[in-house]
Amino acid sequence: LTPRQNQVPTDTLPLGGSTALHDAVFASVLLAGEDRRPALLILLTDGLDSASWVTQAQALDMTHRADVAIYPV
């Protein structure tokens, strides 16, 4: 978050790896469910999932049942 994007050294950022996005959403909802108040999940992601055990449908179903609002960024 900078107006000087051309000064951010992108050649030193590590690339690769895997992302378990659906698993992270599922686990976050489980943790939020322990507290009976309404929950908000701010999801910082590029939207790609390459390593989850949980499907997208399962993660979304869990968020609907737990009444968790998700804001992807």
Side-chain angles (χ1 to χ4, degrees):
L1 302 175
T2 178
R4 297 182 218 129
Q5 294 175 356
N6 61 336
Q7 295 178 355
V8 176
T10 57
D11 58 334
T12 59
L13 297 175
L15 301 175
S18 56
T19 302
L21 177 61
H22 305 143
D23 289 353
V25 169
F26 193 89
S28 297
V29 172
L30 284 177
L31 290 172
E34 294 177 3
D35 187 345
R36 298 293 178 209
R37 296 176 292 181
L40 168 67
L41 174 60
I42 299 173
L43 191 60
L44 303 174
T45 179
D46 61 4
L48 297 177
D49 186 305
S50 60
S52 284
W53 290 70
V54 174
T55 67
Q56 179 180 4
Q58 290 170 317
L60 289 175
D61 181 58
M62 177 64 97
T63 61
H64 292 152
R65 286 190 282 138
D67 197 24
V68 174
I70 300 178
Y71 288 91
V73 178

Coordinates of all heavy atoms in Angstrom, one line a residue:
L1 N 0.8 -1.2 0.0 CA 0.0 0.0 0.0 C 0.9 1.2 0.0 O 1.1 1.8 1.0 CB -0.9 0.0 1.2 CG -1.8 -1.2 1.3 CD1 -2.6 -1.2 2.6 CD2 -2.8 -1.3 0.2
T2 N 1.3 1.5 -1.2 CA 2.2 2.7 -1.3 C 2.0 3.4 -2.7 O 1.7 2.7 -3.6 CB 3.7 2.3 -1.2 OG1 4.5 3.4 -1.4 CG2 4.1 1.2 -2.2
P3 N 2.1 4.7 -2.7 CA 2.0 5.3 -4.0 C 3.2 5.1 -4.9 O 3.3 5.4 -6.0 CB 1.8 6.8 -3.7 CG 2.4 7.0 -2.3 CD 2.2 5.6 -1.6
R4 N 4.3 4.6 -4.3 CA 5.6 4.4 -5.0 C 5.8 2.9 -5.3 O 6.8 2.3 -4.9 CB 6.7 5.0 -4.1 CG 6.6 6.4 -3.9 CD 7.8 6.9 -3.0 NE 7.3 7.9 -2.1 CZ 7.5 8.0 -0.8 NH1 8.2 7.1 -0.3 NH2 7.0 8.9 -0.1
Q5 N 4.9 2.4 -6.0 CA 5.0 1.0 -6.3 C 6.2 0.6 -7.1 O 6.7 -0.5 -7.0 CB 3.7 0.5 -7.1 CG 2.5 0.6 -6.2 CD 1.2 0.3 -7.0 OE1 1.3 0.1 -8.2 NE2 0.1 0.3 -6.3
N6 N 6.7 1.5 -7.9 CA 7.9 1.2 -8.7 C 9.2 1.1 -7.8 O 10.2 0.6 -8.3 CB 8.2 2.3 -9.8 CG 8.3 3.7 -9.2 OD1 7.9 4.0 -8.1 ND2 9.0 4.6 -9.9
Q7 N 9.1 1.5 -6.5 CA 10.2 1.4 -5.6 C 10.2 0.2 -4.7 O 11.1 -0.1 -3.9 CB 10.3 2.7 -4.8 CG 10.6 3.9 -5.6 CD 10.6 5.2 -4.7 OE1 10.3 5.1 -3.5 NE2 11.0 6.3 -5.3
V8 N 9.1 -0.6 -4.9 CA 9.0 -1.9 -4.1 C 9.8 -3.0 -4.8 O 9.6 -3.3 -5.9 CB 7.5 -2.3 -3.9 CG1 7.5 -3.6 -3.2 CG2 6.7 -1.2 -3.2
P9 N 10.8 -3.5 -4.1 CA 11.7 -4.5 -4.7 C 11.0 -5.9 -4.8 O 10.9 -6.7 -3.9 CB 12.9 -4.6 -3.7 CG 12.3 -4.2 -2.4 CD 11.2 -3.2 -2.7
T10 N 10.4 -6.1 -6.0 CA 9.7 -7.4 -6.2 C 10.6 -8.6 -6.5 O 10.2 -9.7 -6.4 CB 8.7 -7.2 -7.3 OG1 9.4 -6.8 -8.5 CG2 7.6 -6.2 -7.0
D11 N 11.8 -8.3 -6.8 CA 12.7 -9.4 -7.2 C 13.2 -10.2 -5.9 O 13.7 -11.3 -6.0 CB 13.9 -8.9 -8.0 CG 14.7 -7.9 -7.2 OD1 14.1 -7.2 -6.4 OD2 15.9 -7.8 -7.5
T12 N 13.0 -9.7 -4.7 CA 13.4 -10.3 -3.5 C 12.2 -11.0 -2.8 O 12.4 -11.7 -1.8 CB 14.0 -9.3 -2.5 OG1 13.1 -8.3 -2.2 CG2 15.3 -8.7 -3.1
L13 N 11.0 -10.9 -3.3 CA 9.9 -11.6 -2.7 C 9.9 -13.0 -3.1 O 10.0 -13.4 -4.2 CB 8.6 -10.9 -3.1 CG 8.4 -9.4 -2.8 CD1 7.1 -8.9 -3.4 CD2 8.3 -9.3 -1.3
P14 N 9.7 -13.9 -2.1 CA 9.7 -15.4 -2.4 C 8.4 -15.7 -3.1 O 7.3 -15.3 -2.7 CB 9.7 -16.0 -1.0 CG 9.2 -15.0 -0.1 CD 9.6 -13.7 -0.6
L15 N 8.5 -16.5 -4.2 CA 7.3 -16.9 -4.9 C 7.2 -18.4 -4.8 O 8.2 -19.1 -4.6 CB 7.5 -16.5 -6.4 CG 7.6 -15.0 -6.7 CD1 7.8 -14.8 -8.1 CD2 6.4 -14.3 -6.2
G16 N 6.0 -18.9 -5.0 CA 5.8 -20.4 -5.0 C 5.1 -20.8 -3.8 O 4.5 -20.0 -3.0
G17 N 5.2 -22.1 -3.5 CA 4.5 -22.6 -2.3 C 3.1 -23.0 -2.6 O 2.7 -23.1 -3.8
S18 N 2.4 -23.2 -1.6 CA 1.0 -23.6 -1.8 C 0.1 -22.9 -0.8 O 0.6 -22.4 0.2 CB 0.8 -25.1 -1.6 OG 1.3 -25.5 -0.3
T19 N -1.2 -22.8 -1.2 CA -2.2 -22.1 -0.3 C -3.3 -23.0 0.0 O -3.9 -23.5 -1.0 CB -2.6 -20.8 -1.1 OG1 -1.5 -20.0 -1.4 CG2 -3.6 -20.0 -0.2
A20 N -3.7 -23.1 1.2 CA -4.8 -23.9 1.6 C -5.9 -22.9 2.0 O -6.3 -22.8 3.2 CB -4.5 -24.8 2.8
L21 N -6.5 -22.2 1.1 CA -7.4 -21.1 1.3 C -8.7 -21.7 1.9 O -9.2 -21.1 2.9 CB -7.8 -20.4 0.0 CG -8.8 -19.3 0.0 CD1 -8.4 -18.2 1.0 CD2 -9.0 -18.8 -1.4
H22 N -9.3 -22.7 1.4 CA -10.5 -23.3 1.9 C -10.4 -23.8 3.3 O -11.2 -23.6 4.2 CB -11.1 -24.3 1.0 CG -11.3 -23.9 -0.4 ND1 -11.0 -24.7 -1.5 CD2 -11.6 -22.7 -0.9 CE1 -11.2 -24.0 -2.6 NE2 -11.6 -22.8 -2.3
D23 N -9.2 -24.4 3.6 CA -8.9 -24.9 4.9 C -8.8 -23.8 5.9 O -9.3 -23.9 7.1 CB -7.6 -25.7 4.9 CG -7.7 -27.0 4.2 OD1 -8.8 -27.5 3.8 OD2 -6.6 -27.7 4.1
A24 N -8.2 -22.7 5.5 CA -8.1 -21.5 6.4 C -9.4 -20.9 6.7 O -9.7 -20.5 7.9 CB -7.2 -20.5 5.7
V25 N -10.3 -20.8 5.7 CA -11.7 -20.3 6.0 C -12.4 -21.2 6.9 O -13.0 -20.8 7.9 CB -12.4 -20.1 4.7 CG1 -13.9 -19.8 4.9 CG2 -11.8 -19.0 3.8
F26 N -12.3 -22.5 6.7 CA -13.0 -23.5 7.5 C -12.5 -23.4 9.0 O -13.3 -23.3 9.9 CB -12.8 -24.9 6.9 CG -13.6 -26.0 7.5 CD1 -14.9 -26.2 6.9 CD2 -13.2 -26.7 8.6 CE1 -15.7 -27.2 7.4 CE2 -14.0 -27.7 9.1 CZ -15.3 -28.0 8.5
A27 N -11.2 -23.4 9.1 CA -10.6 -23.3 10.5 C -11.0 -22.0 11.2 O -11.3 -22.0 12.4 CB -9.1 -23.5 10.4
S28 N -11.0 -20.9 10.5 CA -11.3 -19.6 11.0 C -12.8 -19.6 11.5 O -13.1 -19.1 12.6 CB -11.1 -18.5 10.0 OG -9.8 -18.4 9.6
V29 N -13.6 -20.2 10.8 CA -15.1 -20.2 11.2 C -15.2 -21.1 12.4 O -16.0 -20.8 13.3 CB -15.9 -20.7 10.0 CG1 -17.4 -21.0 10.5 CG2 -15.9 -19.7 8.9
L30 N -14.5 -22.2 12.5 CA -14.5 -23.1 13.7 C -14.1 -22.3 14.9 O -14.7 -22.4 15.9 CB -13.6 -24.3 13.5 CG -14.2 -25.4 12.6 CD1 -13.2 -26.5 12.5 CD2 -15.5 -26.0 13.1
L31 N -13.0 -21.5 14.8 CA -12.5 -20.8 15.9 C -13.5 -19.7 16.3 O -13.7 -19.4 17.4 CB -11.1 -20.2 15.6 CG -10.0 -21.1 15.5 CD1 -8.7 -20.4 15.0 CD2 -9.7 -21.8 16.8
A32 N -14.1 -19.0 15.3 CA -15.0 -17.9 15.5 C -16.3 -18.5 16.2 O -16.9 -17.8 17.0 CB -15.4 -17.2 14.2
G33 N -16.6 -19.7 15.9 CA -17.8 -20.4 16.4 C -17.7 -20.6 17.9 O -18.8 -20.8 18.6
E34 N -16.5 -20.7 18.5 CA -16.4 -20.8 19.9 C -16.9 -19.6 20.7 O -17.2 -19.7 21.8 CB -14.9 -21.1 20.2 CG -14.4 -22.4 19.7 CD -12.9 -22.7 19.9 OE1 -12.3 -21.8 20.6 OE2 -12.4 -23.7 19.4
D35 N -16.9 -18.5 20.0 CA -17.4 -17.3 20.6 C -18.8 -17.0 20.0 O -18.9 -16.9 18.8 CB -16.5 -16.1 20.3 CG -16.9 -14.8 21.0 OD1 -18.0 -14.7 21.5 OD2 -16.0 -13.9 21.0
R36 N -19.8 -16.9 20.7 CA -21.2 -16.9 20.2 C -21.6 -15.6 19.6 O -22.7 -15.4 19.1 CB -22.2 -17.3 21.3 CG -22.0 -18.7 21.8 CD -22.3 -19.7 20.7 NE -22.1 -21.1 21.1 CZ -21.8 -22.0 20.4 NH1 -21.6 -21.8 19.1 NH2 -21.6 -23.2 20.8
R37 N -20.7 -14.6 19.5 CA -21.0 -13.3 18.9 C -20.9 -13.4 17.4 O -20.2 -14.2 16.9 CB -20.1 -12.2 19.5 CG -20.3 -12.0 21.0 CD -19.3 -11.0 21.5 NE -18.0 -11.6 21.5 CZ -16.9 -11.0 21.9 NH1 -17.0 -9.8 22.4 NH2 -15.7 -11.6 21.8
P38 N -21.5 -12.5 16.7 CA -21.3 -12.4 15.2 C -19.8 -12.3 14.8 O -19.1 -11.6 15.5 CB -22.1 -11.2 14.7 CG -23.1 -11.0 15.8 CD -22.4 -11.4 17.1
A39 N -19.4 -12.9 13.7 CA -18.0 -12.8 13.4 C -17.8 -12.3 12.0 O -18.7 -12.4 11.1 CB -17.4 -14.3 13.4
L40 N -16.7 -11.7 11.8 CA -16.3 -11.1 10.5 C -14.9 -11.7 10.2 O -14.0 -11.7 11.0 CB -16.2 -9.6 10.6 CG -15.5 -8.9 9.5 CD1 -16.4 -9.0 8.2 CD2 -15.3 -7.4 9.8
L41 N -14.7 -12.2 9.0 CA -13.5 -12.8 8.5 C -13.0 -11.9 7.4 O -13.7 -11.8 6.3 CB -13.7 -14.2 8.0 CG -12.5 -14.9 7.4 CD1 -11.3 -14.9 8.4 CD2 -12.8 -16.3 6.9
I42 N -11.8 -11.2 7.6 CA -11.2 -10.4 6.5 C -10.2 -11.3 5.9 O -9.2 -11.8 6.5 CB -10.6 -9.1 7.0 CG1 -11.7 -8.3 7.7 CG2 -9.9 -8.4 5.9 CD1 -11.2 -7.1 8.4
L43 N -10.4 -11.6 4.6 CA -9.6 -12.6 3.9 C -8.7 -11.9 2.9 O -9.1 -11.4 1.9 CB -10.5 -13.6 3.2 CG -10.0 -14.9 2.6 CD1 -9.4 -15.7 3.6 CD2 -11.1 -15.6 1.9
L44 N -7.4 -12.0 3.2 CA -6.4 -11.4 2.3 C -5.8 -12.5 1.4 O -5.1 -13.4 1.9 CB -5.2 -10.7 3.1 CG -5.6 -9.7 4.1 CD1 -4.4 -9.2 4.9 CD2 -6.3 -8.5 3.4
T45 N -6.2 -12.5 0.1 CA -5.9 -13.6 -0.7 C -5.8 -13.2 -2.2 O -6.4 -12.2 -2.6 CB -6.9 -14.7 -0.6 OG1 -6.6 -15.8 -1.4 CG2 -8.3 -14.2 -0.9
D46 N -5.1 -14.0 -3.0 CA -5.2 -13.8 -4.4 C -6.3 -14.7 -5.0 O -6.6 -14.7 -6.2 CB -3.9 -14.2 -5.1 CG -3.4 -15.6 -4.8 OD1 -4.2 -16.4 -4.2 OD2 -2.3 -16.0 -5.3
G47 N -7.0 -15.5 -4.1 CA -8.1 -16.2 -4.6 C -7.8 -17.6 -5.0 O -8.7 -18.4 -5.3
L48 N -6.5 -18.0 -5.1 CA -6.2 -19.3 -5.5 C -6.0 -20.3 -4.4 O -5.5 -19.9 -3.3 CB -4.9 -19.3 -6.3 CG -4.9 -18.4 -7.6 CD1 -3.5 -18.4 -8.3 CD2 -5.9 -19.0 -8.6
D49 N -6.5 -21.5 -4.5 CA -6.3 -22.5 -3.5 C -5.6 -23.7 -4.2 O -6.1 -24.2 -5.2 CB -7.6 -23.0 -3.0 CG -7.5 -23.9 -1.8 OD1 -6.9 -25.0 -2.0 OD2 -8.0 -23.7 -0.8
S50 N -4.5 -24.1 -3.7 CA -3.8 -25.2 -4.3 C -3.5 -26.4 -3.3 O -2.8 -27.3 -3.7 CB -2.4 -24.7 -4.8 OG -1.6 -24.1 -3.8
A51 N -4.0 -26.3 -2.1 CA -3.6 -27.3 -1.1 C -4.6 -27.7 -0.1 O -4.3 -28.4 0.8 CB -2.3 -26.9 -0.4
S52 N -5.9 -27.3 -0.3 CA -6.9 -27.6 0.8 C -7.4 -29.0 0.7 O -7.5 -29.6 -0.3 CB -8.1 -26.6 0.6 OG -7.8 -25.3 1.1
W53 N -7.8 -29.5 1.9 CA -8.5 -30.8 2.0 C -10.0 -30.5 2.0 O -10.7 -31.3 1.5 CB -8.1 -31.4 3.4 CG -6.7 -31.9 3.4 CD1 -5.6 -31.1 3.5 CD2 -6.3 -33.3 3.4 NE1 -4.5 -31.9 3.5 CE2 -4.9 -33.2 3.5 CE3 -6.9 -34.5 3.4 CZ2 -4.1 -34.4 3.5 CZ3 -6.2 -35.6 3.5 CH2 -4.8 -35.6 3.5
V54 N -10.4 -29.3 2.4 CA -11.8 -28.9 2.5 C -12.1 -28.3 1.1 O -11.3 -27.6 0.5 CB -12.0 -27.9 3.6 CG1 -13.4 -27.3 3.5 CG2 -11.7 -28.5 4.9
T55 N -13.3 -28.7 0.6 CA -13.7 -28.1 -0.7 C -14.3 -26.7 -0.5 O -14.6 -26.3 0.6 CB -14.8 -28.9 -1.4 OG1 -16.0 -28.9 -0.6 CG2 -14.4 -30.4 -1.6
Q56 N -14.4 -25.9 -1.6 CA -15.0 -24.6 -1.5 C -16.4 -24.7 -1.0 O -16.8 -23.9 -0.2 CB -14.9 -23.9 -2.9 CG -15.5 -22.6 -2.9 CD -15.5 -21.9 -4.3 OE1 -15.1 -22.5 -5.3 NE2 -15.9 -20.7 -4.3
A57 N -17.1 -25.7 -1.5 CA -18.5 -25.8 -1.1 C -18.6 -26.1 0.5 O -19.5 -25.5 1.1 CB -19.2 -27.0 -1.8
Q58 N -17.7 -26.9 1.0 CA -17.7 -27.2 2.4 C -17.4 -25.9 3.2 O -18.0 -25.7 4.3 CB -16.7 -28.3 2.8 CG -17.1 -29.6 2.3 CD -16.0 -30.7 2.4 OE1 -14.8 -30.4 2.1 NE2 -16.3 -31.9 2.8
A59 N -16.4 -25.2 2.8 CA -16.0 -23.9 3.5 C -17.2 -22.9 3.5 O -17.5 -22.3 4.5 CB -14.8 -23.3 2.8
L60 N -17.8 -22.8 2.3 CA -19.0 -21.8 2.2 C -20.1 -22.3 3.1 O -20.8 -21.5 3.7 CB -19.4 -21.6 0.8 CG -18.4 -20.8 -0.1 CD1 -18.9 -20.8 -1.5 CD2 -18.2 -19.4 0.4
D61 N -20.4 -23.6 3.1 CA -21.5 -24.1 3.9 C -21.2 -23.8 5.4 O -22.1 -23.4 6.1 CB -21.6 -25.6 3.6 CG -22.8 -26.2 4.5 OD1 -23.9 -25.7 4.3 OD2 -22.5 -27.1 5.2
M62 N -20.0 -24.0 5.8 CA -19.6 -23.7 7.2 C -19.8 -22.3 7.5 O -20.4 -21.9 8.6 CB -18.2 -24.1 7.4 CG -17.7 -23.8 8.8 SD -18.6 -24.8 10.1 CE -17.4 -26.1 10.3
T63 N -19.5 -21.4 6.6 CA -19.7 -19.9 6.9 C -21.1 -19.6 7.0 O -21.5 -18.7 7.8 CB -19.0 -19.0 5.8 OG1 -19.6 -19.3 4.6 CG2 -17.5 -19.3 5.8
H64 N -22.0 -20.2 6.1 CA -23.4 -19.9 6.2 C -24.0 -20.4 7.5 O -24.8 -19.7 8.1 CB -24.1 -20.5 5.0 CG -23.8 -19.9 3.7 ND1 -23.8 -20.6 2.5 CD2 -23.3 -18.7 3.4 CE1 -23.4 -19.8 1.5 NE2 -23.1 -18.6 2.0
R65 N -23.7 -21.6 7.9 CA -24.2 -22.2 9.1 C -23.8 -21.4 10.4 O -24.5 -21.3 11.3 CB -23.8 -23.7 9.3 CG -24.6 -24.5 8.3 CD -24.4 -26.0 8.6 NE -23.1 -26.4 8.1 CZ -22.3 -27.3 8.7 NH1 -22.6 -27.7 9.9 NH2 -21.2 -27.6 8.2
A66 N -22.6 -20.9 10.3 CA -22.0 -20.2 11.5 C -22.4 -18.7 11.4 O -22.1 -17.9 12.4 CB -20.5 -20.3 11.6
D67 N -23.0 -18.2 10.3 CA -23.3 -16.8 10.1 C -22.1 -15.9 10.3 O -22.1 -14.9 11.0 CB -24.4 -16.4 11.1 CG -25.1 -15.1 10.7 OD1 -25.1 -14.8 9.5 OD2 -25.7 -14.4 11.6
V68 N -21.1 -16.2 9.5 CA -19.9 -15.4 9.5 C -19.8 -14.6 8.2 O -20.0 -15.2 7.1 CB -18.6 -16.4 9.6 CG1 -17.3 -15.6 9.4 CG2 -18.6 -17.1 10.9
A69 N -19.6 -13.3 8.3 CA -19.4 -12.5 7.1 C -18.0 -12.5 6.7 O -17.1 -12.4 7.5 CB -19.8 -11.1 7.5
I70 N -17.8 -12.7 5.4 CA -16.4 -12.8 4.8 C -16.2 -11.6 3.9 O -17.0 -11.4 3.0 CB -16.2 -14.1 4.1 CG1 -16.3 -15.3 5.0 CG2 -14.8 -14.1 3.4 CD1 -16.2 -16.6 4.3
Y71 N -15.1 -10.9 4.1 CA -14.8 -9.8 3.2 C -13.4 -10.1 2.5 O -12.4 -10.0 3.2 CB -14.7 -8.5 3.9 CG -16.1 -8.0 4.3 CD1 -16.6 -8.3 5.5 CD2 -16.8 -7.2 3.4 CE1 -17.9 -7.9 5.8 CE2 -18.1 -6.8 3.7 CZ -18.6 -7.1 5.0 OH -19.9 -6.7 5.3
P72 N -13.4 -10.6 1.3 CA -12.1 -10.9 0.6 C -11.5 -9.6 0.1 O -12.1 -8.7 -0.3 CB -12.5 -11.8 -0.5 CG -13.9 -11.5 -0.8 CD -14.5 -11.0 0.5
V73 N -10.1 -9.5 0.3 CA -9.4 -8.3 -0.2 C -8.4 -8.8 -1.2 O -7.7 -9.8 -1.0 CB -8.7 -7.6 1.0 CG1 -7.9 -6.4 0.5 CG2 -9.7 -7.2 2.0

